[in-house]
C-alpha cells in the first residue's frame, strides 16, 4: 500500500537528490560489502558481487565472523554475524543451497540446551565487543538472536532439523512476552512475518501490537519525543518509530499503526538524512570503527524502507 502522494524510487539517482547524496556517502565510508549491496539495491548491480564480498566473512565452521556485525570485533563466528549474513543472502535471493546447509550445522553446534541461539557465544571472549553485549560463560537462549534467524529460514523455505526446536522456542518466547522493549519486539516481528502458521502468527502479532501501544514503545509523534520513554539501558534519545517495526507494508506490524501515524514516521525517517548523505545511528556508540561501519548499513535500510512504502527519495 503506497502512501498518498508517493512517487516511485527513480532508476538513476538525480544529482543532489537524497539517493545521490546517500550514494556518495556509501562510496566514501562503506565497506566493500555495503558498497556492493547499495549497487545491487539501487544501481542495478548483480547479486554475485554481493555474495563474493560476503564470503570474506565466512568461516570454516559455516558461521560468519570478522566484524560482519560491527559491534562484535574479531574473527570468530557468532550468532549475530550469522543472522546478518542471512539478511544479506535473503536480500539478494541467495538464501539456500549448500551455504545455508553449512550455516544450519553451525547454528546447531552453538545452540543452547533448548535448541535456540545465545546472543553472544563465549568464543567472543578476548576480542573487542560493545559493552551492551556482555560475554558470559553459559549464555541463555535469546529471542533477539533466534527470532530473525528462524524467520529468515522459514521465509526462504529452508528445512533443517535445527528449525524445529528453535521455532518452538520463538513461539513460546513471543507468546509469553509481557513487559518488552523495542529490539525484542523487532525480533518478534521478524519471526512472525515468516512463521509458517499464519493464523497463529496473526494472533500473536495482534497481541504484540496492543502491547507496543500500551507500553508506548513506538514514538507516534516525532515532534513530541519527550512524551515517549526510552527503554532501560538504551542510549539517550534511542526512540523507535512505526517504520522500525513495520519495515514494509506487508509486515504484520503495519496493522498496528494508522495511516497518519505511518506517514509521520516515514516523514521523520526521510528528514533524518544528514548533511553528509547518510542516516544517523540512534544506539549507543562505543568506538569509532563500529560507528563508521554501521552508518552505511543504517543508510541502506532507511532507503529500502522508504522505497517499500513508495516514498520518492531520488
Amino acid at each position: 500500500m503506497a502512501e498518498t502522494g508517493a512517487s516511485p524510487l527513480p532508476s538513476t539517482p538525480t544529482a543532489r537528490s537524497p539517493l545521490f547524496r546517500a550514494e556518495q556517502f556509501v562510496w566514501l565510508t562503506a565497506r566493500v560489502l555495503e558498497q556492493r549491496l547499495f549497487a545491487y539495491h539501487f544501481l542495478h548491480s548483480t547479486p554475485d558481487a554481493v555474495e563474493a564480498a560476503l564470503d570474506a566473512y565466512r568461516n570454516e565452521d559455516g558461521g560468519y565472523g570478522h566484524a560482519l556485525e560491527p559491534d562484535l570485533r574479531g574473527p570468530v563466528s557468532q550468532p549475530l554475524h550469522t543472522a546478518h549474513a542471512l539478511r544479506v543472502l535473503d536480500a539478494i535471493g541467495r538464501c539456500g543451497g549448500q551455504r545455508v546447509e553449512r550455516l544450519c550445522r553451525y547454528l546447531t553446534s552453538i545452540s543452547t540446551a533448548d535448541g535456540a541461539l545465545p546472543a553472544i557465544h563465549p568464543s567472543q571472549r578476548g576480542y573487542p565487543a560493545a559493552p551492551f553485549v556482555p560475554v558470559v560463560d553459559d549464555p541463555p537462549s535469546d529471542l533477539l538472536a533466534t527470532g530473525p534467524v528462524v524467520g529468515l529460514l522459514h521465509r526462504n523455505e529452508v528445512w533443517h532439523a535445527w528449525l524445529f526446536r528453535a521455532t518452538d522456542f520463538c513461539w513460546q518466547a513471543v507468546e509469553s512476552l509481557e513487559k518488552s522493549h523495542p529490539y525484542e519486539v523487532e525480533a518478534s516481528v521478524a519471526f512472525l512475518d515468516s512463521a509458517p502458521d499464519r493464523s497463529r502468527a496473526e494472533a500473536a502479532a495482534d497481541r504484540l501490537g496492543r502491547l507496543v501501544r500500551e507500553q508506548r514503545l513506538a514514538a507516534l509523534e516525532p515532534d513530541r519525543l519527550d512524551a515517549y520513554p526510552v527503554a532501560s539501558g538504551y542510549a539517550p534519545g534511542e526512540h523507535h518509530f512505526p517504520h522500525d517495526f513495520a519495515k514494509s507494508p506487508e509486515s504484520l506490524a503495519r496493522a498496528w499503526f494508522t495511516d497518519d501515524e505511518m506517514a509521520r514516521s516515514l516523514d521523520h525517517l526521510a528528514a533524518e538524512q544528514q548533511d553528509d548523505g547518510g542516516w544517523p545511528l540512534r544506539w549507543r556508540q562505543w568506538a569509532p570503527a563500529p560507528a563508521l561501519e554501521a552508518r552505511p548499513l543504517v543508510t541502506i535500510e532507511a532507503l529500502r524502507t522508504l522505497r517499500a512504502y513508495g516514498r520518492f527519495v531520488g
Side-chain angles (χ1 to χ4, degrees):
M1 176 175 74
E3 301 295 321
T4 303
S7 302
L9 187 72
S11 58
T12 302
T14 305
R16 306 312 304 162
S17 68
L19 183 57
F20 175 84
R21 290 164 52 215
E23 180 184 352
Q24 297 304 301
F25 172 77
V26 166
W27 295 135
L28 179 64
T29 66
R31 304 179 295 192
V32 172
L33 177 59
E34 284 72 51
Q35 291 177 19
R36 291 182 173 180
L37 268 174
F38 184 94
Y40 171 79
H41 286 303
F42 304 109
L43 301 176
H44 311 293
S45 186
T46 67
D48 291 345
V50 179
E51 199 168 12
L54 181 63
D55 275 347
Y57 297 89
R58 184 159 53 91
N59 287 323
E60 290 298 318
D61 60 9
Y64 289 76
H66 306 280
L68 178 56
E69 178 61 41
D71 281 329
L72 297 178
R73 317 305 288 183
V76 295
S77 297
Q78 285 291 326
L80 295 180
H81 294 317
T82 305
H84 191 128
L86 278 173
R87 287 195 296 273
V88 172
L89 293 169
D90 174 69
I92 63 174
R94 296 285 178 87
C95 193
Q98 292 276 328
R99 174 183 286 99
V100 174
E101 175 68 25
R102 290 193 297 269
L103 186 150
C104 287
R105 287 202 296 269
Y106 162 73
L107 297 176
T108 302
S109 73
I110 62 162
S111 290
T112 58
D114 53 11
L117 298 174
I120 307 295
H121 188 268
S123 59
Q124 183 66 34
R125 193 180 304 280
Y127 298 103
F132 45 81
V133 285
V135 181
V136 298
D137 290 332
D138 188 20
S141 299
D142 187 87
L143 178 60
L144 273 72
T146 310
V149 170
V150 172
L152 282 168
L153 292 175
H154 281 309
R155 170 183 166 91
N156 288 275
E157 300 182 343
V158 173
W159 292 105
H160 188 276
W162 177 80
L163 269 172
F164 291 100
R165 295 181 67 209
T167 299
D168 288 343
F169 167 81
C170 289
W171 279 124
Q172 191 280 329
V174 170
E175 292 177 336
S176 64
L177 285 178
E178 295 296 340
K179 179 69 175 176
S180 191
H181 59 91
Y183 289 120
E184 190 170 55
V185 173
E186 288 183 25
S188 300
V189 171
F191 166 68
L192 294 173
D193 274 348
S194 299
D197 189 338
R198 298 313 299 153
S199 59
R200 187 177 180 181
E202 290 166 6
D206 182 66
R207 174 185 172 276
L208 192 59
R210 291 196 300 272
L211 182 151
V212 165
R213 297 189 75 93
E214 290 165 4
Q215 298 181 14
R216 300 176 68 79
L217 300 182
L220 304 179
E221 301 166 281
D223 57 346
R224 295 185 60 246
L225 292 180
D226 56 345
Y228 295 89
V230 173
S232 176
Y234 283 30
E238 192 176 353
H239 292 96
H240 288 243
F241 302 88
H243 67 261
D244 291 311
F245 302 108
K247 297 183 187 299
S248 76
E250 291 74 33
S251 173
L252 291 173
R254 176 61 184 87
W256 300 351
F257 309 107
T258 68
D259 289 348
D260 285 345
E261 288 168 347
M262 185 58 69
R264 286 196 296 270
S265 179
L266 294 167
D267 287 343
H268 178 74
L269 176 62
E272 277 194 308
Q273 188 175 22
Q274 305 292 286
D275 290 343
D276 61 7
W279 266 258
L281 304 182
R282 294 202 299 268
W283 61 84
R284 196 178 306 279
Q285 300 175 43
W286 61 281
L292 179 66
E293 292 174 359
R295 281 194 68 206
L297 290 164
V298 170
T299 296
I300 292 170
E301 182 173 322
L303 291 169
R304 293 187 67 199
T305 297
L306 290 168
R307 180 169 65 180
Y309 282 95
R311 287 298 185 105
F312 178 73
V313 298

